[in-house]
Amino acid sequence: MIDIELILNTSERQKKEILDSDKRLSVPRISAAIEPSLPQFARIITGIRRSGKSTFVNQDFLKDGENAFYLNFDDPALYGFSSADFTILEEAIGRFQKANDGTKSVYFDEIQVVEGWEVFVNAQLRKKNLVTVTGSNASLLSSELGSRLTGRHLDYELFPFSFEEFCLLKKCKKNVKTFSDFLKYGGFPEYLIYNRPEILKRLFEDILMRDVVVRYGIKDVRSIKLLSLYLASNCGNLISGSKLSAQLGLKTTATILEYLSFFEQCYLFFFVPKFNYSAKAQTVNPKKVYCIDTGMVQNVTLSINQDFGRMFENAVFIELRRRTKNIWYYSEAAFECDFLYGKDSVPENAVQVCYELTSENKEREVRGLVETCKKFPGVKPLLLTLNQKDKISYDGMIVDVVPAVEFFK
């Protein structure tokens, strides 16, 4: 049964666990410009599990003198918590604030598992509390949330460590060697600290079970696992629901597409559409698949371990995804370009990714980039490599060749 003492005791235990881990996980999150809480707006921070959301909250605790109220709803002690228990939670927060000089900062982790949480958060905002909501599901940032919180929220996404944060944690300089290590190990903080492969393998399993199977009530666990491993082994490749259904022998195309949306909601995989001014055409065309982390890919599948070109392309996508959600690929019969991206729904930049530019691939890579830019006048071309820097003149256009350490932040 949920009562005030259970909530307060759970909150204190959870806060102590987070604070105890702070010294090991204290790299400032410079890749995410998360502003301080505002009295009239819920600060919503979402991202994949173990990406550092709790650590960010911990750092905020220290700023608040450790007097903030914190509650993670994804805790066995709170199983069975329902919307009817929000009244008890409100009383618990009131008692905590009286005992801690009326501090107004409150943090709710994974609160989206409780139906009707938005109404409760609105009530906290009306009390002038500084509300931070963290969660591992992109539904927290969905368009529906705007109407449920009546526009009173500021949204942020937190990804695993960027290259610069990787270097801060490892206390190393940004160069080709450290970037190659970044491709190999990825950006999950705990894995970077302990270097134990089972950490990423276990995390992959936890995300599948807790954020997909349990959350969406899926009974066919075998199909989910089979599909996830196939996607991890095919980062950078084109996929479609119908082909996946045929290749893997999994149910209907509609079911496959539903599974893919679940993967994207929990930030495990991303699916990049081919650019088209028609939204319907973008939906119909095959999409390119990328995983949240290159270290995770290389620990859950063997087929891609030595394919540095595909890992490089995956890392470039994640870096772009930190900057914008508006990312596409482009291709025609005679050429293709890895990425188009911009702040809005119209491309502003074109990026071709090539691990190493050689005499054999130079014509293909540069031509694909230039031809794409001709299709979209005003789009700026960029060719990313591991460690090459140049300017190439091709068909009346100047293409900047830039090494990874200059592009990754």
Side-chain angles (χ1 to χ4, degrees), residues 193-220:
I193 292 171
Y194 300 112
N195 194 25
R196 299 281 295 273
E198 58 267 29
I199 290 175
L200 290 184
K201 293 176 181 178
R202 182 71 259 173
L203 175 60
F204 190 79
E205 286 283 330
D206 284 348
I207 292 167
L208 290 180
M209 295 306 299
R210 299 169 71 179
D211 294 333
V212 179
V213 173
V214 174
R215 178 167 289 167
Y216 298 105
I218 295 172
K219 297 180 179 179
D220 190 357

Side-chain angles (χ1 to χ4, degrees), residues 103-335:
T103 180
K104 289 294 186 178
S105 294
V106 293
Y107 295 82
F108 304 119
D109 200 359
E110 300 293 343
I111 195 175
Q112 79 278 359
V113 302
V114 184
E115 187 177 351
W117 66 270
E118 306 92 341
V119 176
F120 174 73
V121 167
N122 258 332
Q124 294 300 303
L125 292 175
R126 286 194 295 271
K127 292 186 172 185
K128 308 298 184 184
N129 281 334
L130 301 173
V131 180
T132 297
V133 175
T134 61
S136 56
N137 194 284
S139 64
L140 283 172
L141 306 182
S142 70
S143 57
E144 295 179 6
L145 191 59
S147 60
R148 284 182 262 169
L149 278 179
T150 60
R152 297 169 65 187
H153 61 99
L154 300 174
D155 304 334
Y156 304 93
E157 289 179 309
L158 201 62
F159 290 80
F161 279 4
S162 67
F163 177 46
E164 189 166 356
E165 290 164 343
F166 173 93
C167 292
L168 285 173
L169 180 67
K170 293 291 188 179
K171 295 181 173 58
C172 59
K173 294 182 179 180
K174 294 174 66 175
N175 54 39
V176 179
K177 169 63 169 60
T178 55
F179 184 78
S180 296
D181 289 342
F182 177 62
L183 290 184
K184 179 180 179 180
Y185 296 109
F188 278 106
E190 290 175 325
Y191 178 58
L192 296 179
I193 292 171
Y194 300 112
N195 194 25
R196 299 281 295 273
E198 58 267 29
I199 290 175
L200 290 184
K201 293 176 181 178
R202 182 71 259 173
L203 175 60
F204 190 79
E205 286 283 330
D206 284 348
I207 292 167
L208 290 180
M209 295 306 299
R210 299 169 71 179
D211 294 333
V212 179
V213 173
V214 174
R215 178 167 289 167
Y216 298 105
I218 295 172
K219 297 180 179 179
D220 190 357
V221 178
R222 174 187 171 278
S223 292
I224 282 290
K225 289 186 175 181
L226 182 63
L227 179 59
S228 66
L229 291 174
Y230 179 87
L231 295 174
S233 300
N234 285 274
C235 292
N237 290 345
L238 292 172
I239 62 162
S240 68
S242 57
K243 288 185 178 180
L244 286 172
S245 179
Q247 288 174 319
L248 302 179
L250 302 178
K251 299 191 175 182
T252 65
T253 299
T255 300
I256 294 293
L257 294 177
E258 189 175 53
Y259 287 173
L260 297 183
S261 72
F262 297 159
F263 288 144
E264 196 156 33
Q265 285 291 305
C266 68
Y267 291 94
L268 184 57
F269 294 105
F270 301 86
F271 306 97
V272 178
K274 177 180 178 180
F275 182 82
N276 196 296
Y277 288 106
S278 165
K280 182 178 180 180
Q282 286 194 24
T283 302
V284 173
N285 286 324
K287 293 179 172 61
K288 294 177 77 172
V289 58
Y290 297 99
C291 185
I292 184 65
D293 184 73
T294 54
M296 176 174 281
V297 169
Q298 295 185 83
N299 276 278
V300 301
T301 177
L302 298 176
S303 63
I304 201 170
N305 279 355
Q306 300 304 315
D307 197 335
F308 298 114
R310 284 165 66 190
M311 287 297 89
F312 186 30
E313 183 179 331
N314 198 109
V316 171
F317 167 76
I318 295 299
E319 178 63 25
L320 293 176
R321 183 60 181 76
R322 295 179 198 277
R323 307 178 189 185
T324 180
K325 295 181 181 179
N326 301 303
I327 308 173
W328 311 268
Y329 74 91
Y330 190 75
S331 67
E332 292 195 1
F335 65 88

Side-chain angles (χ1 to χ4, degrees), residues 9-135:
N9 291 337
T10 302
S11 172
E12 285 303 309
R13 171 177 55 79
Q14 291 174 347
K15 189 167 70 170
K16 184 178 185 303
E17 290 170 356
I18 294 174
L19 291 171
D20 286 346
S21 69
D22 181 65
K23 291 183 179 180
R24 297 195 304 274
L25 303 173
S26 58
V27 172
R29 298 311 304 267
I30 56 180
S31 67
I34 302 177
E35 301 292 334
S37 298
L38 298 175
Q40 299 298 321
F41 295 87
R43 181 174 55 165
I44 298 180
I45 306 169
T46 189
I48 195 165
R49 286 182 183 273
R50 313 310 299 170
S51 59
K53 297 186 299 297
S54 293
T55 300
F56 174 81
V57 168
N58 192 355
Q59 293 165 347
D60 257 27
F61 277 158
L62 297 178
K63 295 175 186 177
D64 288 333
E66 303 181 20
N67 287 330
F69 180 86
Y70 173 87
L71 192 64
N72 184 349
F73 289 80
D74 189 15
D75 188 299
L78 298 178
Y79 285 171
F81 192 103
S82 69
S83 57
D85 297 312
F86 278 131
T87 301
I88 300 173
L89 175 57
E90 192 165 17
E91 292 180 30
I93 294 171
R95 182 189 294 185
F96 175 88
Q97 290 178 335
K98 283 184 179 179
N100 289 273
D101 300 322
T103 180
K104 289 294 186 178
S105 294
V106 293
Y107 295 82
F108 304 119
D109 200 359
E110 300 293 343
I111 195 175
Q112 79 278 359
V113 302
V114 184
E115 187 177 351
W117 66 270
E118 306 92 341
V119 176
F120 174 73
V121 167
N122 258 332
Q124 294 300 303
L125 292 175
R126 286 194 295 271
K127 292 186 172 185
K128 308 298 184 184
N129 281 334
L130 301 173
V131 180
T132 297
V133 175
T134 61

